[in-house]
């Protein structure tokens, strides 16, 4: 989330008219059935209710997150919405970015919170959180009726006037997007029809508001972060079949950002990362709904470029929330303020879209990289979330406070940890794609087929899929053979080895008539390898299979201000300088096994003999309270 912009844009007298709503000139704007959504042969996720997590680290984290969401009282969530709409409230306000004086208030309480409880309800059957969501919707419905214009927010329309007038304002449309997305999630995942009605009113208000400005005025307003307004309006169009929301979505497009990407040019240096990834998700949805190939080209180029040229090894990007360098030049950028967690959340969302068009395993490899290394581990035992992901040596993880922070990353984290099931399996026609190795059950009721995935992955180097069906089912099951595995990967059906296997980095398609009790055993050997920091061939990170390995540099600080940030600040105060990267005596062209030792594959324990100490090394997601280092400074053997 970008900080409040102090740029004082040119004031325009025309803005005085900004709050006059367009009349309901409404064109007959119902989309014909063939204009909306072109799934063609696109892969689709399964309905969230068909997949459940089995015991394991993901379900543990899901439950921790649910307990945190359950701890937030509805009256406190609704407080600033009620005040804004003129309804009295005596609830104790939440603080941080939900403080009654903060210009982002409502982004979590009426936005991320609704998305998170909707996802938790659909993904895990959490009925308590569903009823919490319904209560919040009911309260919001009362607020929007009191306002009576379709507008709904926890702050008054005055902030939008400031945006129009070029006065300093944080990000009103960013917050508005979160609320609309939360409402749509409550409709789509829990069937709350009031939520859709409120979202439609908000969509119309937004279109009427921004639609009256000249192109130049609008483009100037869009320099202020607006989240995924384009995405949520496309989603609203897809749900309601009303083309007017597609028109509204186009009002939130910025040629200055999209055109270079369409020309396959990386002009991202200087841009705020998490302001821009959601715009591409919106473009991806435009492709899916309109079929306009340009949006797909933009999305694919952007994603490939960020992953290849701007990501750190953990599968996330940015320094001080920005792309501060030319591509492939991350040298000198390791800091506390790397890799804002929201960016990981949004990159993974985009990966799901691009994968659904291409069935290319590279996107699910990338998804796995981010999931295991930049999402797992970013929640503590109380459900509190990280903001930055420090990558300079000697730092540690810090988290938001329960009720005094409410960062953007608190919100996207609450959503992420509620929806681990959404990408494990996809389908195309009657085919099943097994994308991720997470213990879970897919219950495909219409087809009378249950697929149970049993695995201790990543402690276990592979997975087992068990078929349950009351009748023989002819079907192709596609299993991802990840890029990180070796040529020794193998698959057995009912204990018999398949003679052929797909190359690492692709899907193995297994076509047969499946019988009840059939099993697919997938062996995916992991090995050590290294990746250099782009732009510095003397700085390396070690990986084992999909796991980024980190040096345990000993106990981190115990003082709470370094651990839990009790405010809207996103970096602990009085942060010490980073340490030097731990040094290893090796060269970039050496094999990783020459400097990293696998002590226990099943326990995922490793070690590295550094310059003056032997470092214990473990998967990064297992680092909890310790100081750590992800990167190593290589010293040539001669110098050592
Ligand atoms: Zn964030």
């Amino acid at each position: 989330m970008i900080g409040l912009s102090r740029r004082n844009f040119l004031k325009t007298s025309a803005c005085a008219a900004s709050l006059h709503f367009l009349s309901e000139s409404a064109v007959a704007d119902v989309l014909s059935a063939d204009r909306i959504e072109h799934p063609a042969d696109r892969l689709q996720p399964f309905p969230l209710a068909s997949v459940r997590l089995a015991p394991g680290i993901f379900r543990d984290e899901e439950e921790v997150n649910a307990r945190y969401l359950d701890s937030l009282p509805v009256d406190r969530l609704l407080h600033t919405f009620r005040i804004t709409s003129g309804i009295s409230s005596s609830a104790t306000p939440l603080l941080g970015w939900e403080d009654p004086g903060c210009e982002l208030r409502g982004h979590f309480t009426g936005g991320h919170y609704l998305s998170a409880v909707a996802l938790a309800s659909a993904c895990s059957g959490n009925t308590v959180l569903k009823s919490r969501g319904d209560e919040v919707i009911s309260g919001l419905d009362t607020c929007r009726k009191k306002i009576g214009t379709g507008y709904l927010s926890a702050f008054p329309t005055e902030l939008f006037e400031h945006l129009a007038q070029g006065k300093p304002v944080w990000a009103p449309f960013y917050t508005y997007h979160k609320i609309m997305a939360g409402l749509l999630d409550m409709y789509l995942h829990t069937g709350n029809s009031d939520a859709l009605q409120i979202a439609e009113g908000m969509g119309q208000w937004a279109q009427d508001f921004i639609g009256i400005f000249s192109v130049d005025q609008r483009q100037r307003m869009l320099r202020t972060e607006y989240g995924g307004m384009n995405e949520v309006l496309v989603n609203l169009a897809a749900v309601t079949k009303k083309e007017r929301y597609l028109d509204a979505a186009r009002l939130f497009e910025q040629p200055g950002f999209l055109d270079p990407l369409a020309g396959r040019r990386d002009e991202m240096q200087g841009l705020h990362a998490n302001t821009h990834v959601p715009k591409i998700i919106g473009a991806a949805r435009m492709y899916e709904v309109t079929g306009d190939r340009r949006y797909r080209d933009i999305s694919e180029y952007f994603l490939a470029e960020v992953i290849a040229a701007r990501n750190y090894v953990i599968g996330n990007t940015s320094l001080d929330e920005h792309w501060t360098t030319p591509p492939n030049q991350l040298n000198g950028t390791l800091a506390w303020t790397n890799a804002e967690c929201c960016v990981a959340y949004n990159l993974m969302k985009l990966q799901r879209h691009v994968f659904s068009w291409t069935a290319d395993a590279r996107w699910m490899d990338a998804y796995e990289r981010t999931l295991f290394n930049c999402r797992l581990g970013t929640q503590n035992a109380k459900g509190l979330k990280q903001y930055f992901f420090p990558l300079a040596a000697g730092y540690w993880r810090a988290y938001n406070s329960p009720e005094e922070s409410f960062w953007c990353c608190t919100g996207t984290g609450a959503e992420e940890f509620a929806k681990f099931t959404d990408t494990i399996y996809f389908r195309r026609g009657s085919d099943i794609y097994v994308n991720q190795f997470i213990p879970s059950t897919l219950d495909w009721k219409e087809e009378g087929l249950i697929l149970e995935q049993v695995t201790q992955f990543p402690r276990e180097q592979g997975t087992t899929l068990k078929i349950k069906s009351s009748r023989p089912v002819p079907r192709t099951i596609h299993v991802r053979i990840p890029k990180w595995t070796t040529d020794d990967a193998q698959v057995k059906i009912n204990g018999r080895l398949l003679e052929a296997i797909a190359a690492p980095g692709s899907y193995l398609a297994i076509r047969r008539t499946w019988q009840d009790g059939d099993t697919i055993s997938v062996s995916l050997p992991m090995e050590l390898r290294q990746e250099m920091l782009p732009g510095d061939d003397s700085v390396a990170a070690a990986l084992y299979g999909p796991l980024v390995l980190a040096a345990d540099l000993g106990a981190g600080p115990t003082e709470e201000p370094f651990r839990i940030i009790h405010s809207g600040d996103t970096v602990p105060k009085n942060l010490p300088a980073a340490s030097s990267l731990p040094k290893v005596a090796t060269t970039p062209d050496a094999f990783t096994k020459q400097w990293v030792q696998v002590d226990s594959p099943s326990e995922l324990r490793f070690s590295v003999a550094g310059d003056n100490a032997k470092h214990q090394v473990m998967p990064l997601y297992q680092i909890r309270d310790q100081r750590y280092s992800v990167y190593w400074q290589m010293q040539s053997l001669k110098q050592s």
Side-chain angles (χ1 to χ4, degrees):
M1 181 69 216
I2 199 167
L4 175 59
S5 169
R6 296 291 173 194
R7 271 178 298 181
N8 208 346
F9 299 123
L10 281 176
K11 294 180 181 178
T12 57
S13 55
C15 298
S18 64
L19 296 184
H20 292 250
F21 303 145
L22 284 182
S23 63
E24 274 291 329
S25 60
V27 221
D29 59 2
V30 177
L31 289 168
S32 60
D34 58 352
R35 260 312 298 285
I36 202 94
E37 288 282 7
H38 294 259
D41 60 349
R42 187 152 71 84
L43 277 75
Q44 304 277 349
F46 283 89
L48 295 176
S50 357
V51 185
R52 289 284 184 264
L53 294 176
I57 45 178
F58 285 94
R59 199 165 89 178
D60 291 347
E61 296 289 348
E62 177 187 74
E63 288 170 357
V64 167
N65 184 53
R67 282 197 290 277
Y68 172 67
L69 291 169
D70 193 24
S71 74
L72 300 169
V74 168
D75 278 348
R76 296 185 69 186
L77 294 168
L78 286 170
H79 176 72
T80 49
F81 283 92
R82 285 175 169 154
I83 298 296
T84 298
S85 63
I87 297 170
S88 65
S89 168
S90 58
T92 305
L94 299 167
L95 301 178
W97 294 13
E98 286 296 343
D99 185 284
C102 179
E103 291 187 341
L104 294 182
R105 61 191 184 271
H107 78 110
F108 181 93
T109 54
H112 291 296
Y113 180 86
L114 289 179
S115 290
V117 298
L119 291 164
S121 164
C123 292
S124 64
N126 191 320
T127 53
V128 172
L129 289 181
K130 180 190 179 306
S131 59
R132 288 292 167 78
D134 288 339
E135 284 177 61
V136 172
I137 298 288
S138 171
L140 293 178
D141 197 34
T142 305
C143 293
R144 67 112 189 179
K145 283 173 178 158
K146 186 86 192 299
I147 295 170
T149 62
Y151 179 84
L152 176 68
S153 182
F155 50 74
T157 53
E158 185 186 354
L159 295 195
F160 286 93
E161 290 179 60
H162 290 179
L163 180 70
Q165 293 161 4
K167 292 180 179 172
V169 65
W170 197 335
F173 270 123
Y174 169 92
T175 307
Y176 204 80
H177 157 241
K178 300 296 173 261
I179 299 166
M180 286 188 69
L183 291 163
L184 269 189
D185 283 336
M186 280 297 292
Y187 170 70
L188 288 169
H189 302 312
T190 78
N192 188 313
S193 54
D194 289 344
L196 178 61
Q197 208 179 349
I198 304 169
E200 274 219 70
M202 290 183 71
Q204 288 174 24
W205 184 91
Q207 182 177 25
D208 293 347
F209 173 79
I210 202 163
I212 63 168
F213 295 101
S214 70
V215 172
D216 286 350
Q217 286 173 316
R218 188 158 40 79
Q219 290 301 318
R220 195 185 61 240
M221 289 159 67
L222 296 182
R223 286 188 226 157
T224 296
E225 186 172 8
Y226 57 86
M229 276 304 296
N230 55 341
E231 181 209 359
V232 78
L233 287 163
V234 181
N235 289 339
L236 191 57
V239 166
T240 62
K241 312 290 186 208
K242 293 179 182 173
E243 188 149 5
R244 64 169 297 176
Y245 297 122
L246 281 185
D247 297 337
R250 290 191 181 94
L251 294 174
F252 287 90
E253 286 180 2
Q254 293 171 283
F257 172 54
L258 298 180
D259 288 352
L261 297 171
R264 305 183 65 78
R265 296 194 308 279
D266 180 342
E267 296 180 2
M268 292 184 260
Q269 183 175 0
L271 296 182
H272 183 260
N274 199 47
T275 292
H276 288 83
V277 188
K279 298 174 186 178
I280 303 296
I281 297 170
R285 286 296 289 143
M286 281 298 270
Y287 165 65
E288 291 170 357
V289 169
T290 69
D292 184 341
R293 178 79 196 203
R294 183 172 183 271
Y295 290 112
R296 173 172 172 168
D297 293 344
I298 287 169
S299 306
E300 289 190 358
Y301 170 74
F302 172 87
L303 185 58
E305 176 66 9
V306 169
I307 290 175
R310 297 191 171 279
N311 261 9
Y312 298 98
V313 67
I314 60 172
N316 195 5
T317 180
S318 73
L319 167 67
D320 295 336
E321 305 185 11
H322 288 71
W323 291 302
T324 60
T325 68
N328 291 304
Q329 292 184 30
L330 301 183
N331 41 307
T333 65
L334 301 182
W336 178 282
T337 53
N338 289 127
E340 181 190 347
C341 284
C342 282
V343 182
Y345 165 90
N346 281 312
L347 285 176
M348 290 165 73
K349 240 176 125 169
L350 186 56
Q351 285 157 3
R352 296 177 84 236
H353 286 288
V354 177
F355 171 72
S356 77
W357 314 330
T358 59
D360 187 338
R362 68 185 289 202
W363 307 119
M364 282 297 120
D365 284 349
Y367 190 96
E368 177 185 65
R369 174 77 71 94
T370 310
L371 178 65
F372 275 89
N373 301 295
C374 195
R375 307 311 283 134
L376 272 191
T378 62
Q379 170 178 263
N380 77 358
K382 294 183 176 173
L384 311 178
K385 310 296 192 299
Q386 276 180 244
Y387 189 96
F388 288 115
F389 200 125
L391 291 174
Y395 284 140
W396 57 90
R397 300 177 187 273
Y399 307 92
N400 61 259
S401 62
E403 298 177 356
E404 299 163 325
S405 303
F406 293 105
W407 307 320
C408 47
C409 299
T410 314
T412 51
E415 294 181 33
E416 191 89 76
F417 283 72
K419 69 173 191 70
F420 288 130
T421 53
D422 73 346
T423 307
I424 305 173
Y425 309 99
F426 270 40
R427 63 179 169 175
R428 172 156 57 187
S430 63
D431 288 11
I432 298 174
Y433 283 72
V434 180
N435 301 322
Q436 300 298 331
F437 310 121
I438 294 175
S440 54
T441 302
L442 164 65
D443 185 354
W444 196 351
K445 286 201 169 59
E446 312 91 86
E447 301 282 331
L449 180 75
I450 293 174
L451 190 66
E452 186 184 3
Q453 183 170 184
V454 181
T455 181
Q456 298 291 316
F457 187 88
R459 289 180 185 278
E460 174 188 346
Q461 301 188 5
T463 191
T464 300
L465 303 161
K466 297 181 177 178
I467 285 92
K468 294 180 183 171
S469 176
S470 56
R471 58 184 167 80
V473 189
R475 184 142 334 240
T476 303
I477 298 178
H478 304 252
V479 180
R480 182 171 61 94
I481 307 299
K483 185 79 173 170
W484 48 256
T485 193
T486 71
D487 291 339
D488 295 329
Q490 55 179 229
V491 173
K492 292 178 181 172
I493 309 290
N494 299 331
R496 289 186 54 187
L497 185 65
L498 280 188
E499 288 182 10
I501 187 160
S506 64
Y507 276 79
L508 173 68
I510 311 169
R511 170 89 189 156
R512 61 183 268 141
T513 299
W514 300 98
Q515 312 279 346
D516 186 51
D518 281 351
T519 62
I520 307 171
S521 307
V522 186
S523 170
L524 301 169
M526 296 180 188
E527 63 179 358
L528 291 166
R529 67 188 193 287
Q530 62 202 38
E531 284 186 9
M532 315 314 286
L533 180 69
D536 190 342
D537 278 347
S538 71
V539 173
L543 298 99
Y544 187 64
L547 304 172
V548 173
L549 304 182
D552 177 350
L553 299 182
T558 52
E559 304 92 322
E560 175 130 309
F562 285 125
R563 289 285 179 194
I564 306 292
I565 303 175
H566 287 275
S567 72
D569 293 347
T570 54
V571 178
K573 287 185 170 40
N574 304 316
L575 204 60
S579 309
S580 302
L581 293 179
K583 298 181 177 64
V584 287
T586 185
T587 53
D589 57 353
F591 290 110
T592 316
K593 63 186 178 189
Q594 290 177 265
W595 59 280
V596 183
Q597 184 175 325
V598 182
D599 296 328
S600 168
S602 61
E603 293 299 314
L604 295 171
R605 288 291 170 262
F606 310 82
S607 55
V608 167
D611 50 347
N612 53 16
K614 183 172 182 179
H615 293 290
Q616 297 304 310
V617 174
M618 62 180 68
L620 178 57
Y621 80 84
Q622 292 182 358
I623 294 278
R624 291 286 167 168
D625 298 329
Q626 308 95 309
R627 298 174 193 266
Y628 62 87
S629 184
V630 168
Y631 286 99
W632 302 81
Q633 182 69 54
M634 292 187 158
Q635 292 186 317
S636 79
L637 294 167
K638 279 183 205 158
Q639 290 170 0
S640 64

